[in-house]
Amino acid sequence: MNALKSRLQKGEFVAAAWAELGHPDIAEIFVRHGWPVVLIDGEHGIGNLETWVAVARAVEAARGEVILRVPDGSDTTLKKVLDRGFRSIVVPMVNSAGQAREIAASCRYPVRGSGGVGRGYAAPIVRGSDYGTRPDYAVRSANEDVLLFVQCETRESIDALPGICAVEGVDGIFLGPNDLAATLGHMEQMEHPTPQAAFAEVERTVTEAGGLLATVCGGGRDWADLRARGFTLVAGVNDVSFLIGAAHDAAAVRDAQLADLA
């Protein structure tokens, strides 16, 4: 069983760190220093599928759990990442129930007798099945283990949320506050009343539908605020920001100490 999926379905609050730089050592440092869930950013971060696999191996070796945000929701992309062992996935820019259905189908092997389309079969030879050492992989665990979030980032997506949440195989909605604010005409103004009202609408709709809620910190809402609003997965810090912050602070200390000698 996907342990992360189980934790979220039980209502546990999970905090994650973003891995943008595509470096296994950085991801391992996260896990060993208080961030055991790492969300690899395949949409805006550095690297390709094999980069993400290397990062995932480092996280898993340190006994952490990994989520992958894919760059797109195409059948080819999803098939590849599932075969390479990713079970917890975030898909960006999902704007309709039809799009969500296609994504959910691509993430699961067709149910016996359904005659439907779905994930392509290569179970005995892929990393997802531990290279054939999980005999129940294709018939049971592969489908059950998938944790699928689709992102809400537009007004169109908000309007389609009831239908998206009803799609079998979609476990939750990942609210993208920065992009949603931008598409509503308020780029980098997440605290403006218009996006704030939209955030609340997303939260209300998903909660009423019984889906999982995920997002990022920001927009005037911290960890505690988001937990109180019903979010169970929140991704906050990221490696790039840590590096920028540490570099900035170290430069300020350097300049202050040298100024004393001037």
Side-chain angles (χ1 to χ4, degrees), residues 15-41:
W18 286 99
E20 306 284 350
L21 292 173
H23 201 292
D25 287 343
I26 295 173
E28 182 179 350
I29 290 169
F30 267 140
V31 176
R32 298 192 185 280
H33 289 274
W35 298 93
V37 178
V38 176
L39 203 164
I40 301 170
D41 191 355

PDB file of all heavy atoms in Angstrom, residues 15-41:
ATOM      1  N   ALA A  15       3.411  17.639   5.550  1.00  0.00           N
ATOM      2  CA  ALA A  15       4.173  18.776   5.029  1.00  0.00           C
ATOM      3  C   ALA A  15       5.279  18.252   4.124  1.00  0.00           C
ATOM      4  O   ALA A  15       5.977  17.294   4.477  1.00  0.00           O
ATOM      5  CB  ALA A  15       4.778  19.586   6.168  1.00  0.00           C
ATOM      6  N   ALA A  16       5.433  18.859   2.969  1.00  0.00           N
ATOM      7  CA  ALA A  16       6.426  18.407   1.994  1.00  0.00           C
ATOM      8  C   ALA A  16       7.360  19.548   1.611  1.00  0.00           C
ATOM      9  O   ALA A  16       7.004  20.727   1.713  1.00  0.00           O
ATOM     10  CB  ALA A  16       5.739  17.863   0.741  1.00  0.00           C
ATOM     11  N   ALA A  17       8.552  19.168   1.166  1.00  0.00           N
ATOM     12  CA  ALA A  17       9.518  20.124   0.623  1.00  0.00           C
ATOM     13  C   ALA A  17       9.597  19.947  -0.884  1.00  0.00           C
ATOM     14  O   ALA A  17       9.508  18.822  -1.392  1.00  0.00           O
ATOM     15  CB  ALA A  17      10.894  19.899   1.249  1.00  0.00           C
ATOM     16  N   TRP A  18       9.786  21.041  -1.590  1.00  0.00           N
ATOM     17  CA  TRP A  18       9.936  20.994  -3.053  1.00  0.00           C
ATOM     18  C   TRP A  18      11.392  20.706  -3.426  1.00  0.00           C
ATOM     19  O   TRP A  18      12.313  21.343  -2.900  1.00  0.00           O
ATOM     20  CB  TRP A  18       9.566  22.335  -3.676  1.00  0.00           C
ATOM     21  CG  TRP A  18       8.116  22.657  -3.715  1.00  0.00           C
ATOM     22  CD1 TRP A  18       7.439  23.458  -2.851  1.00  0.00           C
ATOM     23  CD2 TRP A  18       7.157  22.225  -4.684  1.00  0.00           C
ATOM     24  NE1 TRP A  18       6.118  23.545  -3.224  1.00  0.00           N
ATOM     25  CE2 TRP A  18       5.918  22.803  -4.341  1.00  0.00           C
ATOM     26  CE3 TRP A  18       7.233  21.401  -5.813  1.00  0.00           C
ATOM     27  CZ2 TRP A  18       4.758  22.584  -5.078  1.00  0.00           C
ATOM     28  CZ3 TRP A  18       6.083  21.183  -6.549  1.00  0.00           C
ATOM     29  CH2 TRP A  18       4.863  21.768  -6.185  1.00  0.00           C
ATOM     30  N   ALA A  19      11.594  19.806  -4.343  1.00  0.00           N
ATOM     31  CA  ALA A  19      12.915  19.557  -4.916  1.00  0.00           C
ATOM     32  C   ALA A  19      12.929  20.120  -6.338  1.00  0.00           C
ATOM     33  O   ALA A  19      12.310  19.555  -7.243  1.00  0.00           O
ATOM     34  CB  ALA A  19      13.231  18.069  -4.925  1.00  0.00           C
ATOM     35  N   GLU A  20      13.604  21.244  -6.507  1.00  0.00           N
ATOM     36  CA  GLU A  20      13.645  21.930  -7.802  1.00  0.00           C
ATOM     37  C   GLU A  20      14.942  21.676  -8.568  1.00  0.00           C
ATOM     38  O   GLU A  20      14.950  21.700  -9.793  1.00  0.00           O
ATOM     39  CB  GLU A  20      13.500  23.443  -7.595  1.00  0.00           C
ATOM     40  CG  GLU A  20      12.290  23.868  -6.791  1.00  0.00           C
ATOM     41  CD  GLU A  20      10.994  23.811  -7.567  1.00  0.00           C
ATOM     42  OE1 GLU A  20      11.056  23.619  -8.796  1.00  0.00           O
ATOM     43  OE2 GLU A  20       9.926  23.939  -6.948  1.00  0.00           O
ATOM     44  N   LEU A  21      16.027  21.447  -7.845  1.00  0.00           N
ATOM     45  CA  LEU A  21      17.353  21.425  -8.468  1.00  0.00           C
ATOM     46  C   LEU A  21      17.741  20.072  -9.054  1.00  0.00           C
ATOM     47  O   LEU A  21      18.773  19.958  -9.711  1.00  0.00           O
ATOM     48  CB  LEU A  21      18.410  21.882  -7.458  1.00  0.00           C
ATOM     49  CG  LEU A  21      18.314  23.358  -7.051  1.00  0.00           C
ATOM     50  CD1 LEU A  21      19.282  23.668  -5.918  1.00  0.00           C
ATOM     51  CD2 LEU A  21      18.588  24.261  -8.248  1.00  0.00           C
ATOM     52  N   GLY A  22      16.943  19.047  -8.797  1.00  0.00           N
ATOM     53  CA  GLY A  22      17.195  17.752  -9.412  1.00  0.00           C
ATOM     54  C   GLY A  22      18.428  17.046  -8.898  1.00  0.00           C
ATOM     55  O   GLY A  22      19.019  16.234  -9.620  1.00  0.00           O
ATOM     56  N   HIS A  23      18.817  17.314  -7.643  1.00  0.00           N
ATOM     57  CA  HIS A  23      20.043  16.712  -7.112  1.00  0.00           C
ATOM     58  C   HIS A  23      19.713  15.736  -5.995  1.00  0.00           C
ATOM     59  O   HIS A  23      19.121  16.120  -4.978  1.00  0.00           O
ATOM     60  CB  HIS A  23      20.988  17.787  -6.593  1.00  0.00           C
ATOM     61  CG  HIS A  23      22.402  17.322  -6.516  1.00  0.00           C
ATOM     62  ND1 HIS A  23      22.827  16.350  -5.627  1.00  0.00           N
ATOM     63  CD2 HIS A  23      23.499  17.667  -7.241  1.00  0.00           C
ATOM     64  CE1 HIS A  23      24.110  16.131  -5.788  1.00  0.00           C
ATOM     65  NE2 HIS A  23      24.548  16.913  -6.764  1.00  0.00           N
ATOM     66  N   PRO A  24      20.102  14.472  -6.130  1.00  0.00           N
ATOM     67  CA  PRO A  24      19.778  13.476  -5.104  1.00  0.00           C
ATOM     68  C   PRO A  24      20.295  13.826  -3.719  1.00  0.00           C
ATOM     69  O   PRO A  24      19.619  13.582  -2.716  1.00  0.00           O
ATOM     70  CB  PRO A  24      20.438  12.190  -5.642  1.00  0.00           C
ATOM     71  CG  PRO A  24      20.512  12.388  -7.119  1.00  0.00           C
ATOM     72  CD  PRO A  24      20.761  13.863  -7.298  1.00  0.00           C
ATOM     73  N   ASP A  25      21.504  14.396  -3.622  1.00  0.00           N
ATOM     74  CA  ASP A  25      22.064  14.711  -2.309  1.00  0.00           C
ATOM     75  C   ASP A  25      21.224  15.753  -1.582  1.00  0.00           C
ATOM     76  O   ASP A  25      21.017  15.671  -0.367  1.00  0.00           O
ATOM     77  CB  ASP A  25      23.503  15.213  -2.450  1.00  0.00           C
ATOM     78  CG  ASP A  25      24.475  14.100  -2.805  1.00  0.00           C
ATOM     79  OD1 ASP A  25      24.108  12.918  -2.627  1.00  0.00           O
ATOM     80  OD2 ASP A  25      25.577  14.403  -3.269  1.00  0.00           O
ATOM     81  N   ILE A  26      20.738  16.747  -2.317  1.00  0.00           N
ATOM     82  CA  ILE A  26      19.915  17.780  -1.697  1.00  0.00           C
ATOM     83  C   ILE A  26      18.620  17.168  -1.170  1.00  0.00           C
ATOM     84  O   ILE A  26      18.177  17.465  -0.051  1.00  0.00           O
ATOM     85  CB  ILE A  26      19.614  18.910  -2.696  1.00  0.00           C
ATOM     86  CG1 ILE A  26      20.914  19.632  -3.076  1.00  0.00           C
ATOM     87  CG2 ILE A  26      18.603  19.895  -2.111  1.00  0.00           C
ATOM     88  CD1 ILE A  26      20.742  20.658  -4.175  1.00  0.00           C
ATOM     89  N   ALA A  27      18.010  16.288  -1.961  1.00  0.00           N
ATOM     90  CA  ALA A  27      16.779  15.627  -1.529  1.00  0.00           C
ATOM     91  C   ALA A  27      17.023  14.767  -0.291  1.00  0.00           C
ATOM     92  O   ALA A  27      16.201  14.730   0.636  1.00  0.00           O
ATOM     93  CB  ALA A  27      16.213  14.785  -2.666  1.00  0.00           C
ATOM     94  N   GLU A  28      18.157  14.090  -0.248  1.00  0.00           N
ATOM     95  CA  GLU A  28      18.480  13.268   0.914  1.00  0.00           C
ATOM     96  C   GLU A  28      18.674  14.136   2.157  1.00  0.00           C
ATOM     97  O   GLU A  28      18.244  13.766   3.263  1.00  0.00           O
ATOM     98  CB  GLU A  28      19.749  12.444   0.654  1.00  0.00           C
ATOM     99  CG  GLU A  28      20.101  11.524   1.806  1.00  0.00           C
ATOM    100  CD  GLU A  28      21.346  10.694   1.554  1.00  0.00           C
ATOM    101  OE1 GLU A  28      21.847  10.685   0.410  1.00  0.00           O
ATOM    102  OE2 GLU A  28      21.826  10.056   2.516  1.00  0.00           O
ATOM    103  N   ILE A  29      19.307  15.283   1.991  1.00  0.00           N
ATOM    104  CA  ILE A  29      19.474  16.209   3.117  1.00  0.00           C
ATOM    105  C   ILE A  29      18.120  16.635   3.659  1.00  0.00           C
ATOM    106  O   ILE A  29      17.910  16.698   4.874  1.00  0.00           O
ATOM    107  CB  ILE A  29      20.325  17.423   2.687  1.00  0.00           C
ATOM    108  CG1 ILE A  29      21.782  16.997   2.459  1.00  0.00           C
ATOM    109  CG2 ILE A  29      20.256  18.533   3.737  1.00  0.00           C
ATOM    110  CD1 ILE A  29      22.632  18.061   1.773  1.00  0.00           C
ATOM    111  N   PHE A  30      17.181  16.934   2.772  1.00  0.00           N
ATOM    112  CA  PHE A  30      15.827  17.264   3.207  1.00  0.00           C
ATOM    113  C   PHE A  30      15.279  16.179   4.134  1.00  0.00           C
ATOM    114  O   PHE A  30      14.784  16.466   5.228  1.00  0.00           O
ATOM    115  CB  PHE A  30      14.891  17.381   1.998  1.00  0.00           C
ATOM    116  CG  PHE A  30      14.741  18.767   1.439  1.00  0.00           C
ATOM    117  CD1 PHE A  30      14.700  18.969   0.060  1.00  0.00           C
ATOM    118  CD2 PHE A  30      14.595  19.874   2.261  1.00  0.00           C
ATOM    119  CE1 PHE A  30      14.538  20.233  -0.471  1.00  0.00           C
ATOM    120  CE2 PHE A  30      14.432  21.141   1.736  1.00  0.00           C
ATOM    121  CZ  PHE A  30      14.399  21.324   0.356  1.00  0.00           C
ATOM    122  N   VAL A  31      15.341  14.936   3.678  1.00  0.00           N
ATOM    123  CA  VAL A  31      14.746  13.834   4.439  1.00  0.00           C
ATOM    124  C   VAL A  31      15.414  13.688   5.797  1.00  0.00           C
ATOM    125  O   VAL A  31      14.743  13.489   6.819  1.00  0.00           O
ATOM    126  CB  VAL A  31      14.845  12.519   3.647  1.00  0.00           C
ATOM    127  CG1 VAL A  31      14.323  11.348   4.478  1.00  0.00           C
ATOM    128  CG2 VAL A  31      14.054  12.622   2.336  1.00  0.00           C
ATOM    129  N   ARG A  32      16.718  13.813   5.832  1.00  0.00           N
ATOM    130  CA  ARG A  32      17.464  13.590   7.072  1.00  0.00           C
ATOM    131  C   ARG A  32      17.397  14.774   8.034  1.00  0.00           C
ATOM    132  O   ARG A  32      17.850  14.674   9.171  1.00  0.00           O
ATOM    133  CB  ARG A  32      18.909  13.227   6.750  1.00  0.00           C
ATOM    134  CG  ARG A  32      19.026  11.925   5.952  1.00  0.00           C
ATOM    135  CD  ARG A  32      20.439  11.419   5.873  1.00  0.00           C
ATOM    136  NE  ARG A  32      20.554  10.251   5.013  1.00  0.00           N
ATOM    137  CZ  ARG A  32      20.247   8.997   5.375  1.00  0.00           C
ATOM    138  NH1 ARG A  32      19.793   8.768   6.588  1.00  0.00           N
ATOM    139  NH2 ARG A  32      20.387   7.992   4.529  1.00  0.00           N
ATOM    140  N   HIS A  33      16.831  15.884   7.564  1.00  0.00           N
ATOM    141  CA  HIS A  33      16.737  17.064   8.428  1.00  0.00           C
ATOM    142  C   HIS A  33      15.317  17.616   8.490  1.00  0.00           C
ATOM    143  O   HIS A  33      15.097  18.826   8.383  1.00  0.00           O
ATOM    144  CB  HIS A  33      17.728  18.132   7.959  1.00  0.00           C
ATOM    145  CG  HIS A  33      19.150  17.760   8.231  1.00  0.00           C
ATOM    146  ND1 HIS A  33      19.763  18.020   9.439  1.00  0.00           N
ATOM    147  CD2 HIS A  33      20.064  17.096   7.463  1.00  0.00           C
ATOM    148  CE1 HIS A  33      21.005  17.554   9.399  1.00  0.00           C
ATOM    149  NE2 HIS A  33      21.216  16.980   8.220  1.00  0.00           N
ATOM    150  N   GLY A  34      14.361  16.709   8.713  1.00  0.00           N
ATOM    151  CA  GLY A  34      13.023  17.134   9.068  1.00  0.00           C
ATOM    152  C   GLY A  34      11.990  17.245   7.978  1.00  0.00           C
ATOM    153  O   GLY A  34      10.862  17.667   8.234  1.00  0.00           O
ATOM    154  N   TRP A  35      12.345  16.841   6.737  1.00  0.00           N
ATOM    155  CA  TRP A  35      11.399  16.928   5.627  1.00  0.00           C
ATOM    156  C   TRP A  35      11.324  15.571   4.924  1.00  0.00           C
ATOM    157  O   TRP A  35      11.855  15.396   3.826  1.00  0.00           O
ATOM    158  CB  TRP A  35      11.808  18.025   4.645  1.00  0.00           C
ATOM    159  CG  TRP A  35      11.813  19.372   5.292  1.00  0.00           C
ATOM    160  CD1 TRP A  35      12.868  19.998   5.886  1.00  0.00           C
ATOM    161  CD2 TRP A  35      10.685  20.236   5.463  1.00  0.00           C
ATOM    162  NE1 TRP A  35      12.481  21.208   6.403  1.00  0.00           N
ATOM    163  CE2 TRP A  35      11.148  21.373   6.156  1.00  0.00           C
ATOM    164  CE3 TRP A  35       9.341  20.164   5.084  1.00  0.00           C
ATOM    165  CZ2 TRP A  35      10.296  22.441   6.484  1.00  0.00           C
ATOM    166  CZ3 TRP A  35       8.510  21.210   5.412  1.00  0.00           C
ATOM    167  CH2 TRP A  35       8.987  22.335   6.103  1.00  0.00           C
ATOM    168  N   PRO A  36      10.653  14.594   5.544  1.00  0.00           N
ATOM    169  CA  PRO A  36      10.660  13.231   5.012  1.00  0.00           C
ATOM    170  C   PRO A  36       9.794  13.019   3.777  1.00  0.00           C
ATOM    171  O   PRO A  36       9.841  11.946   3.175  1.00  0.00           O
ATOM    172  CB  PRO A  36      10.148  12.390   6.185  1.00  0.00           C
ATOM    173  CG  PRO A  36       9.311  13.328   6.985  1.00  0.00           C
ATOM    174  CD  PRO A  36       9.974  14.670   6.863  1.00  0.00           C
ATOM    175  N   VAL A  37       8.986  14.018   3.400  1.00  0.00           N
ATOM    176  CA  VAL A  37       8.222  13.932   2.154  1.00  0.00           C
ATOM    177  C   VAL A  37       8.762  14.988   1.196  1.00  0.00           C
ATOM    178  O   VAL A  37       8.792  16.180   1.525  1.00  0.00           O
ATOM    179  CB  VAL A  37       6.712  14.143   2.389  1.00  0.00           C
ATOM    180  CG1 VAL A  37       5.956  14.108   1.065  1.00  0.00           C
ATOM    181  CG2 VAL A  37       6.167  13.082   3.343  1.00  0.00           C
ATOM    182  N   VAL A  38       9.193  14.546   0.040  1.00  0.00           N
ATOM    183  CA  VAL A  38       9.803  15.433  -0.948  1.00  0.00           C
ATOM    184  C   VAL A  38       8.978  15.412  -2.227  1.00  0.00           C
ATOM    185  O   VAL A  38       8.708  14.337  -2.783  1.00  0.00           O
ATOM    186  CB  VAL A  38      11.259  15.020  -1.250  1.00  0.00           C
ATOM    187  CG1 VAL A  38      11.841  15.892  -2.353  1.00  0.00           C
ATOM    188  CG2 VAL A  38      12.109  15.121   0.016  1.00  0.00           C
ATOM    189  N   LEU A  39       8.577  16.591  -2.678  1.00  0.00           N
ATOM    190  CA  LEU A  39       7.803  16.731  -3.908  1.00  0.00           C
ATOM    191  C   LEU A  39       8.749  17.195  -5.013  1.00  0.00           C
ATOM    192  O   LEU A  39       9.233  18.320  -4.997  1.00  0.00           O
ATOM    193  CB  LEU A  39       6.669  17.725  -3.697  1.00  0.00           C
ATOM    194  CG  LEU A  39       5.459  17.634  -4.621  1.00  0.00           C
ATOM    195  CD1 LEU A  39       4.282  18.417  -4.051  1.00  0.00           C
ATOM    196  CD2 LEU A  39       5.755  18.100  -6.031  1.00  0.00           C
ATOM    197  N   ILE A  40       9.020  16.315  -5.939  1.00  0.00           N
ATOM    198  CA  ILE A  40       9.897  16.629  -7.072  1.00  0.00           C
ATOM    199  C   ILE A  40       9.107  17.435  -8.093  1.00  0.00           C
ATOM    200  O   ILE A  40       8.031  17.016  -8.530  1.00  0.00           O
ATOM    201  CB  ILE A  40      10.434  15.343  -7.722  1.00  0.00           C
ATOM    202  CG1 ILE A  40      11.218  14.508  -6.705  1.00  0.00           C
ATOM    203  CG2 ILE A  40      11.301  15.665  -8.935  1.00  0.00           C
ATOM    204  CD1 ILE A  40      11.570  13.108  -7.213  1.00  0.00           C
ATOM    205  N   ASP A  41       9.644  18.575  -8.472  1.00  0.00           N
ATOM    206  CA  ASP A  41       8.936  19.448  -9.393  1.00  0.00           C
ATOM    207  C   ASP A  41       9.388  19.203 -10.829  1.00  0.00           C
ATOM    208  O   ASP A  41      10.372  19.771 -11.291  1.00  0.00           O
ATOM    209  CB  ASP A  41       9.159  20.913  -9.015  1.00  0.00           C
ATOM    210  CG  ASP A  41       8.237  21.850  -9.777  1.00  0.00           C
ATOM    211  OD1 ASP A  41       7.495  21.361 -10.652  1.00  0.00           O
ATOM    212  OD2 ASP A  41       8.250  23.060  -9.490  1.00  0.00           O
TER     213      ASP A  41
END
